[in-house]
Amino acid sequence: MASEIKKILIIRFSSIGDIVLTTPAIRAAKTQLKDVEVHFATKEQYRIIVENNPYIDKVHYYNENLGQLIKSLKQENFDFVIDLHKNLRTKIIKTQLGKKSSSFQKLNIQKWLYVNFKVNKLPNVHIVDRYLDALKPLGVKNDGLGLDYFIPEKDEVEVSWLPETHREKYFVFAIGGQHATKKLPLKRMIELCDRINKPVILLGGKEDEKTGEEIANFFDRSKENKYYKKGLEELKKKAVIFNGCGKFNLNQSASIVRNADAVFTHDSGLMHIASAFKKRIFSIWGSTSPFFGMYPYKTQFSIFENNKIKCRPCSKIGFKKCPKGHFKCMNDVVFDFWLP
């Protein structure tokens, strides 16, 4: 069958981390299928992640007009469709295209059991390997090379762009997260930076800029510190913080991650980008769980999570606020690590 496949479509609409996690499947298909043309469909807002991938021949962007997307996909006459999103939209696409297809195991029932009854029937299989299982009908196998992330030359961050304090050695703390219950509260972020006690670059989007500024202000010796009134008097305040949140696009943030000594991160897209660069990762988990199969892939990592409470995980994606009101998964998580 594989010899008959000359053009395939891989679908993953969102989000940052999930798309990065599809890169081993993209690469394996392109390198293992003879003379194959690999197309990828995703949302326009994630163009920056896929447009520089040399293993993708053509990208089709979804702009909330499913009919228009299907019309353009029909013109390609694919031999096979690989669905790595598996929702109603992708089902409609596959039906309309009328081509042979496969999809990955989403494990929604197992996730529901774990979230609602704390019954863990999830297989000990990373989602990357579940994605690659969808390519088995084509004879494609995992090449074991891990994740990819490609940065164009124009987005490489020069050392001179960074403060002098961060030009020789620094650590990254990716403070963002898609949902509030996947992120440390501000006080705990400050405690973690103090615990790192070395030059730290905070990374995140525009939505994280204010939080980053508050963290940086705490460690700014020239400013009066309101946090002494919030029970943080015991902190050493020796860390040197550069707030990069909102100052860099995703590729530039990836460039900073690639040159970091190590990366501290929530369950977020930058965690998976750090995995692509084989960085040492300290991964912080709140309302979600590594058992869902989306922990750092093919790199050295440590997990920070509170396993002493019975309400975790409370969601497979996260909430705006803790359903119980105490947020002990993040408020009581212990930071146990050593840095050279």
Side-chain angles (χ1 to χ4, degrees):
M1 180 181 179
S3 61
E4 302 170 359
I5 304 298
K6 297 302 178 185
K7 185 185 285 192
I8 65 171
L9 171 67
I10 300 175
I11 307 173
R12 180 72 217 191
F13 288 136
S14 62
S15 51
I16 295 172
D18 298 284
I19 295 169
V20 174
L21 289 166
T22 67
T23 56
I26 296 167
R27 181 185 63 246
K30 184 63 178 177
T31 57
Q32 295 177 32
L33 296 173
K34 187 177 180 180
D35 299 324
V36 73
E37 194 173 311
V38 177
H39 291 225
F40 194 86
T42 192
K43 288 185 177 180
E44 173 69 35
Q45 68 200 75
Y46 300 111
R47 174 187 291 266
I48 195 170
I49 306 172
V50 295
E51 64 182 350
N52 300 295
N53 190 326
Y55 299 111
I56 299 175
D57 295 290
K58 185 175 180 179
V59 184
H60 303 266
Y61 295 106
Y62 172 48
N63 293 297
E64 305 304 326
N65 187 330
L66 192 60
Q68 184 177 344
L69 176 64
I70 291 172
K71 183 178 179 180
S72 68
L73 293 176
K74 281 184 175 180
Q75 295 173 0
E76 299 290 347
N77 193 26
F78 295 107
D79 297 309
F80 202 88
V81 178
I82 300 158
D83 182 2
L84 301 184
H85 202 114
K86 201 176 181 182
N87 64 2
L88 179 59
R89 283 191 295 263
T90 60
K91 185 176 181 179
I92 292 171
I93 290 172
K94 289 183 292 185
T95 300
Q96 289 293 312
L97 295 182
K99 301 296 181 178
K100 292 180 180 179
S101 66
S102 63
S103 60
F104 83 112
Q105 287 188 312
K106 208 162 185 177
L107 304 177
N108 281 338
I109 294 175
Q110 292 90 332
K111 291 177 184 176
W112 184 84
L113 284 171
Y114 193 27
V115 168
N116 291 280
F117 298 101
K118 307 302 178 278
V119 176
N120 188 359
K121 297 293 184 181
L122 290 160
N124 185 22
V125 180
H126 199 282
I127 193 169
V128 168
D129 297 302
R130 301 209 313 267
Y131 282 164
L132 282 156
D133 282 345
L135 279 77
K136 280 184 176 180
L138 305 181
V140 174
K141 299 178 181 179
N142 190 345
D143 59 18
L145 298 179
L147 308 179
D148 286 327
Y149 195 90
F150 300 96
I151 305 171
E153 186 177 355
K154 65 182 178 65
D155 285 329
E156 295 284 2
V157 174
E158 301 290 337
V159 174
S160 60
W161 298 7
L162 303 176
E164 289 187 13
T165 51
H166 292 70
R167 291 179 185 177
E168 291 187 11
K169 181 176 182 176
Y170 64 82
F171 295 82
V172 160
F173 181 10
I175 68 172
Q178 195 171 6
H179 300 278
T181 55
K182 296 173 77 173
K183 299 187 291 185
L184 289 165
L186 175 60
K187 178 179 175 180
R188 303 289 342 258
M189 291 188 192
I190 291 172
E191 289 176 4
L192 177 56
C193 288
D194 184 74
R195 176 77 173 79
I196 296 170
N197 197 26
K198 296 179 186 294
V200 174
I201 297 180
L202 306 177
L203 290 179
K206 283 286 185 183
E207 68 277 9
D208 304 303
E209 194 168 8
K210 182 180 178 182
T211 300
E213 195 63 31
E214 292 196 66
I215 296 170
N217 286 345
F218 176 83
F219 292 95
D220 188 340
R221 280 76 171 164
S222 67
K223 295 184 179 180
E224 183 180 350
N225 222 301
K226 63 182 179 180
Y227 293 101
Y228 283 123
K229 300 177 182 179
K230 294 188 176 183
L232 294 174
E233 300 92 337
E234 72 283 1
L235 298 188
K236 298 186 289 293
K237 287 191 67 184
K238 292 181 181 178
V240 181
I241 307 298
F242 171 56
N243 178 25
C245 296
K247 295 179 174 67
F248 303 99
N249 66 28
L250 186 62
N251 283 338
Q252 292 168 334
S253 294
S255 177
I256 291 171
V257 164
R258 186 172 62 187
N259 293 318
D261 278 60
V263 177
F264 292 78
T265 176
H266 301 124
D267 172 19
S268 69
L270 279 179
M271 178 179 75
H272 301 300
I273 291 173
S275 296
F277 298 130
K278 306 293 190 293
K279 307 308 296 186
R280 176 77 169 94
I281 296 173
F282 297 91
S283 180
I284 308 157
W285 295 75
S287 59
T288 56
S289 169
F291 282 116
F292 293 146
M294 299 185 72
Y295 46 87
Y297 188 70
K298 297 288 185 182
T299 194
Q300 185 182 7
F301 68 94
S302 300
I303 296 287
F304 298 152
E305 60 180 336
N306 183 0
N307 288 320
K308 296 181 179 179
I309 51 176
K310 296 181 178 180
C311 53
R312 251 191 97 240
C314 62
S315 170
K316 64 179 182 179
I317 58 172
F319 292 115
K320 290 183 178 180
K321 61 181 181 179
C322 172
K324 299 286 187 181
H326 54 63
F327 204 24
K328 288 184 178 180
C329 61
M330 285 301 200
N331 281 324
D332 296 345
V333 68
V334 176
F335 306 130
D336 183 15
F337 62 91
W338 177 84
L339 297 175

